[in-house]
Amino acid sequence: MNEPVDDPDEGVLELRVEQLRREAEGVLSVTLADPEGGLLPAWEPGAHIDLERPGLVRQYSLCGDPADRSTYKIAVLRERDSTGGSAYVHDELRPGDLVEVGGPRNHFALVPAERYLFIAGGIGITPILPMIGAAEAAGAGWRLAYGGRRRETMAFLGDLAGHGGKVDAVVEAEHGPLDLDALLGAPQDGTAIYCCGPGGLLDAVEERCAAAWRDGALHLERFKAKTFAIDASAERAFEVDCARSEITVPVPADRPIIDCLDDAGVAVPTACREGICGSCEVKILDGVAEHRDSLLSRAEQEAGRTLMVCVSRSRTERLVLDL
C-alpha cells in the first residue's frame, strides 16, 4: 500500500508534471503526481496548493477529484499582465518537469448546507468543480451560475454539461453579465453561497449579500487582494509579544509585522504576502488587530481570533501572538 508523500520539515513536495491540457482559450490545466508513485496528502473541496519556484510563489485551487490521492490538478489562466506565475506555467512548464508544491491548505471549505448557490466568474470555476461533486454526493440541492466574457474562454464547460439545468453558463458577449439581482434578490434559508472570480464580481456579490442575506451565508475566495485606502501618515508603531518565544518585537509604522518577526528570528511561513493565501495566519492571544487581509470573513475578523501577519497591523499598542 502506498504511503502519503510528505515533508515533515518544510511541508513542500517535489511533484512531477504528468499532463498539460488546454481547457479553454488562455486556460491550461496541470496534473501533478509524486515521481515515486506515492499517495499525495488528502484535501477537501476549496483547497489550494502553492506552486513554488525561486523568488516566486503562486496559489492555485485544486480542481480535480479529492478521492484521487494519486494526482493534484490545477488550472491556470494566462494573465495579460503576468508577474511571472501564469507565464511560467504556460511558457516554461512541460510534462516530466519537477516542481515544488506547498500545501494543500483550505480557507474556502464547503460547509454542510441544505442547498448551495455557486457563483463563478472565469477561472473562478476551479474551486467550484469539486464542490459540485461534494454537494452531489451529500444529496444537497445546488445550482451554478458561471459567467465568462466569451464561450471560448470558459474552461470546463464540457464537464459541466452533464449537470443539465443545474448549470447556467452565461456568456457576457451573448447575454450580458450575470444577473446578480435575480440570483441574490430573494434570500433563502438553508442556502450557502460560494463565489469565486474577479474582484469586481466578488465585491458585487458581497454588497448584495450584506444587504439581504444572513451573516455567514456567503463564502468568498479572492485571487487578488482587496484594495484598502490607507493613510500612511496615520500609521503607528506598536509591539508584538511572541508568547511562546518570549520575545517582544517592535513594529515601526512603516514596516509589516512579518518582516519585523523575520528580523527577530521568529519564523512564520509566508507565501503571497498579500493577505490572500493564509499561510501566515497566527492566533491572537491579546490585543486587537487591524485586519487588512482578503481572506477572513467579516465575522472572522470581528471575532479577532487570528490575523495575517503579512498585511494586518494592530489597533492596540501591544499585540500578543501565539508564536
Side-chain angles (χ1 to χ4, degrees):
M1 179 177 178
N2 291 335
E3 292 299 323
V5 178
D6 202 0
D7 183 333
D9 295 323
E10 299 295 335
V12 175
L13 313 175
E14 186 176 64
L15 303 183
R16 182 175 59 213
V17 178
E18 293 292 296
Q19 183 183 57
L20 298 171
R21 177 178 169 180
R22 185 180 183 272
E23 301 292 351
E25 183 180 307
V27 178
L28 196 66
S29 69
V30 182
T31 302
L32 304 166
D34 171 49
E36 305 299 324
L39 297 180
L40 302 179
W43 61 280
E44 295 183 350
H48 70 262
I49 57 173
D50 301 329
L51 198 61
E52 304 183 10
R53 59 184 302 205
L56 185 69
V57 180
R58 292 292 182 269
Q59 291 76 42
Y60 298 106
S61 297
L62 290 166
C63 59
D65 180 1
D68 179 6
R69 298 279 302 280
S70 66
T71 62
Y72 286 157
K73 183 178 179 180
I74 59 174
V76 181
L77 170 69
R78 177 187 283 279
E79 297 283 356
R80 183 177 303 173
D81 300 316
S82 174
T83 56
S86 69
Y88 164 64
V89 171
H90 280 258
D91 298 338
E92 300 182 37
L93 215 55
R94 295 294 181 268
D97 287 352
L98 296 177
V99 295
E100 290 191 340
V101 171
R105 289 190 299 273
N106 199 343
H107 289 270
F108 194 42
L110 191 68
V111 300
E114 296 176 25
R115 292 175 300 278
Y116 298 95
L117 171 59
F118 300 117
I119 303 174
I123 197 63
I125 190 62
T126 51
I128 302 300
L129 293 174
M131 291 185 178
I132 288 173
E136 286 275 305
W142 66 272
R143 61 178 296 205
L144 165 65
Y146 176 21
R149 292 182 179 178
R150 293 183 294 113
R151 189 173 299 274
E152 294 79 9
T153 65
M154 297 173 68
F156 304 110
L157 283 178
D159 296 329
L160 293 166
H163 294 295
K166 292 183 177 181
V167 176
D168 186 13
V170 179
V171 183
E172 188 171 341
E174 301 172 11
H175 306 290
L178 290 171
D179 187 346
L180 297 181
D181 290 331
L183 286 169
L184 300 168
Q188 300 177 20
D189 291 338
T191 297
I193 304 166
Y194 279 78
C195 180
C196 187
L201 171 65
L202 270 61
D203 291 343
V205 168
E206 194 170 32
E207 179 182 347
R208 285 164 174 78
C209 288
W213 289 71
R214 62 176 175 81
D215 287 345
L218 175 62
H219 306 263
L220 298 175
E221 182 171 62
R222 294 181 181 270
F223 291 142
K224 294 185 178 179
K226 291 180 182 179
T227 300
F228 292 89
I230 298 172
D231 181 2
S233 65
E235 298 282 56
R236 65 179 188 176
F238 55 93
E239 290 185 341
V240 169
D241 282 355
C242 303
R244 286 186 283 114
S245 303
E246 298 183 345
I247 295 174
T248 297
V249 179
V251 180
D254 60 349
R255 297 196 69 202
I257 297 174
I258 188 73
D259 287 353
C260 299
L261 291 173
D262 187 55
D263 289 348
V266 180
V268 179
T270 184
C272 72
R273 287 184 172 260
E274 295 180 337
I276 57 174
C277 76
S279 60
C280 70
E281 185 174 12
V282 175
K283 185 183 297 184
I284 300 170
L285 301 180
D286 194 21
V288 180
E290 171 71 34
H291 294 286
R292 295 178 184 175
D293 67 272
S294 304
L295 185 62
L296 296 176
S297 68
R298 181 174 60 181
E300 288 171 332
Q301 290 183 346
E302 290 175 353
R305 297 188 181 94
T306 65
L307 85 163
M308 309 300 161
V309 293
C310 65
V311 292
S312 297
R313 297 189 66 78
S314 179
R315 292 182 181 272
T316 49
E317 293 183 359
R318 179 172 166 269
L319 201 60
V320 183
L321 302 181
D322 185 22
L323 289 169

